[in-house]
């Protein structure tokens, strides 16, 4: 068995900043409400014609540069997104072409906010067994073209933002850092608590004018329900990960939670008893970028010098599905 580690990280955020004040012009909301309930001050939106694959490409190039590798060194792609450029083919294939890579395999992961951690887990297994040496794991989302930017959709619309993050996973030498574990969960009985109903193959046709009038092509969420489950499941999956590695919460240098809502992160860190300065947050600047939020946060944390060799970093996510997941990495 080989050991696997993260060889490089990269992120890309679109340049267009959309503040809470900008949203006040589109819907009945307020900067105060958004900040109080979510911690978000602003988010980024793409310009027209930019897809999740484009954000993934830019983030990947940065991750490759940091790993001192070229696209031709990559043996496999894992692309996590809930907002693919097209229904099919998936973003992995589009990224392969845009990066001029060899005809390597490209797997698209559909696990919403947990997509990146699920993708990291897949990459970890392939690298450990020796099947692939360098895997690009990407999380990228374009939410801005799919949310209802008016008062009716405000509970969802104020939360989400666009962005991309990527890591290169590869062999780890002796004494180097290592992905120590990943834990993945799902509970489909809550599928409709946070979902996007249409277009859907169970309907014929998949999308009708009536569905459009009813807004079924926009995400719908039972926010309070999701919030409560998120706080419980985050704690559970982090404790499960610590136990599996014989670690205590005091051993964790940095906790990177999926950036769902600052209040969720605060509740989780308080319950776990981990000091706020060990819990990374950038939701204030970018909103919730679902599958992209963890790789973006990891990249920023590294650039801010928050991780050094030997440190323990815990990644954890919760989201639509419901799905929840964690990864423990010795840096
Ligand atoms: O990525 C993982 C998945 N997503 C999440 O983790 C999100 C989890 N949930 C949440 O973050 C919170 O539930 C929200 C931020 C979405 C909503 O906060 P809340 O405190 O649960 O608010 P609420 O939905 O219970 O709504 C409270 C009030 C309602 O008004 P009434 O009925 O009390 O008069 C809403 O209509 O706030 C109103 N409201 C808003 N007001 C201003 C809902 N959205 C907005 C808004 N601006 N954007």
């Amino acid at each position: 068995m080989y050991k696997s580690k993260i060889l490089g990280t990269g992120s890309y955020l679109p340049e267009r900043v959309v503040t809470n004040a900008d949203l006040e012009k589109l819907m009945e909301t307020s900067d105060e409400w958004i900040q109080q309930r979510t911690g978000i001050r602003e988010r980024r939106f793409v310009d027209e014609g930019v897809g999740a694959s484009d954000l993934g490409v830019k983030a990947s190039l940065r991750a490759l540069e940091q790993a001192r590798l070229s696209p031709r060194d990559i043996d496999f792609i894992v692309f996590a997104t809930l907002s693919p450029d097209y229904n099919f083919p998936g973003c992995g294939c589009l990224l392969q072409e845009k990066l001029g890579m060899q005809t390597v395999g490209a797997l698209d992961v559909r696990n919403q906010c947990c997509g990146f951690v699920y993708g990291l887990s897949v990459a970890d297994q392939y690298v450990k067994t020796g099947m692939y040496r360098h895997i690009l794991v990407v999380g990228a989302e374009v939410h801005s073209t799919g949310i209802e930017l008016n008062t009716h959709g405000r509970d969802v619309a104020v939360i989400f933002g666009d962005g991309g993050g990527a890591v290169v996973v590869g062999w780890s030498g002796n004494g180097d850092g290592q992905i120590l574990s990943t834990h993945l969960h799902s509970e489909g009985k809550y599928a409709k608590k946070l979902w996007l109903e249409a277009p859907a193959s169970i309907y014929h046709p998949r999308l009708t004018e009536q569905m459009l009038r009813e807004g079924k092509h926009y995400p719908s969420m039972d926010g309070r329900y999701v919030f409560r489950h998120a706080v419980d499941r985050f704690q559970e999956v982090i404790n499960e990960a610590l136990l599996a590695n014989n670690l205590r919460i005091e051993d964790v240098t940095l906790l990177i939670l999926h950036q769902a809502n600052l209040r969720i992160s605060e509740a989780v860190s308080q319950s776990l008893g981990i000091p706020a300065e060990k819990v990374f947050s950038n939701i204030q600047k970018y909103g919730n970028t679902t599958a992209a939020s963890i790789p973006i946060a990891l990249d920023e944390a590294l650039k801010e010098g928050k991780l050094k060799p030997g440190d323990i970093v815990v990644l954890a996510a919760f989201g639509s599905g419901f799905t929840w997941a964690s990864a423990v990495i010795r840096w």
Side-chain angles (χ1 to χ4, degrees):
M1 281 285 263
Y2 294 87
K3 287 191 226 158
S4 75
K5 68 180 279 198
I6 291 179
L7 303 173
T9 64
S11 59
Y12 176 79
L13 279 307
E15 276 170 25
R16 184 151 63 105
V17 176
V18 177
T19 63
N20 292 345
D22 293 328
L23 294 184
E24 283 174 5
K25 292 174 205 146
L26 302 172
M27 60 189 78
E28 280 172 38
T29 191
S30 67
D31 176 46
E32 192 195 354
W33 191 97
I34 301 171
Q35 287 212 46
Q36 212 172 62
R37 309 275 174 139
T38 71
I40 300 167
R41 290 197 298 265
E42 57 191 42
R43 73 284 295 138
R44 305 292 180 91
F45 281 3
V46 294
D47 290 326
E48 216 179 311
V50 176
S53 72
D54 299 304
L55 303 183
V57 164
K58 290 196 160 136
S60 296
L61 284 170
R62 291 176 179 176
L64 284 162
E65 192 186 338
Q66 209 197 83
R68 297 207 176 93
L69 294 169
S70 90
R72 297 186 72 78
D73 295 318
I74 295 295
D75 307 312
F76 192 65
I77 301 160
V78 184
F79 200 122
T81 185
L82 65 72
S83 53
D85 298 24
Y86 311 109
N87 260 328
F88 71 87
C91 279
C93 295
L94 306 181
L95 181 105
Q96 179 274 336
E97 199 272 329
K98 287 178 185 175
L99 283 177
M101 296 162 89
Q102 315 208 50
T103 56
V104 299
L107 173 71
D108 271 57
V109 168
R110 293 285 310 269
N111 288 84
Q112 302 70 248
C113 304
C114 291
F116 177 78
V117 181
Y118 268 70
L120 189 69
S121 180
V122 170
D124 178 41
Q125 306 312 310
Y126 275 142
V127 169
K128 272 187 190 151
T129 57
M131 178 144 170
Y132 297 122
R133 178 154 188 189
H134 296 129
I135 302 183
L136 198 52
V137 184
V138 186
E141 304 282 7
V142 170
H143 284 293
S144 55
T145 52
I147 46 180
E148 195 176 5
L149 288 164
N150 58 36
T151 300
H152 182 257
R154 65 185 179 176
D155 58 329
V156 172
V158 300
I159 296 176
F160 292 109
D162 303 340
V167 302
V168 181
V169 178
W171 289 350
S172 165
N174 278 339
D176 274 0
Q178 191 186 340
I179 298 173
L180 296 174
S181 68
T182 55
H183 288 88
L184 313 177
H185 295 279
S186 72
E187 197 171 27
K189 73 176 171 191
Y190 300 119
K192 296 183 180 176
K193 293 290 182 190
L194 174 49
W195 70 320
L196 177 63
E197 188 175 354
S201 64
I202 55 163
Y203 302 130
H204 193 192
R206 293 178 178 188
L207 186 65
T208 61
E209 277 182 21
Q210 190 184 337
M211 288 182 203
L212 286 171
R213 273 197 304 277
E214 290 170 358
K216 302 232 188 253
H217 58 304
Y218 293 122
S220 112
M221 173 171 75
D222 182 340
R224 295 214 155 187
Y225 207 85
V226 175
F227 193 112
R228 279 202 309 273
H229 274 251
V231 172
D232 291 345
R233 295 303 196 188
F234 267 123
Q235 288 176 69
E236 230 176 78
V237 80
I238 291 164
N239 283 326
E240 181 184 25
L242 293 175
L243 193 66
N245 291 288
N246 209 9
L247 293 168
R248 295 160 309 151
I249 195 72
E250 299 79 42
D251 299 321
V252 177
T253 313
L254 196 62
L255 176 61
I256 299 185
L257 299 175
H258 157 54
Q259 304 289 293
N261 179 326
L262 189 62
R263 307 299 161 232
I264 293 178
S265 300
E266 286 168 351
V268 172
S269 45
Q270 269 164 27
S271 304
L272 288 171
I274 182 167
E277 60 274 16
K278 285 187 165 188
V279 184
F280 190 82
S281 288
N282 61 6
I283 192 170
Q284 300 87 338
K285 296 186 287 180
Y286 307 134
N288 177 339
T289 58
T290 52
S293 92
I294 289 181
I296 293 172
L298 180 61
D299 187 47
E300 288 204 341
L302 278 166
K303 292 203 169 102
E304 290 172 21
K306 291 191 187 288
L307 281 175
K308 57 181 190 323
D311 283 349
I312 295 289
V313 56
V314 176
L315 314 178
F318 175 89
S320 160
F322 289 154
T323 53
W324 59 104
S326 67
V328 179
I329 303 167
R330 192 175 57 236
W331 205 257

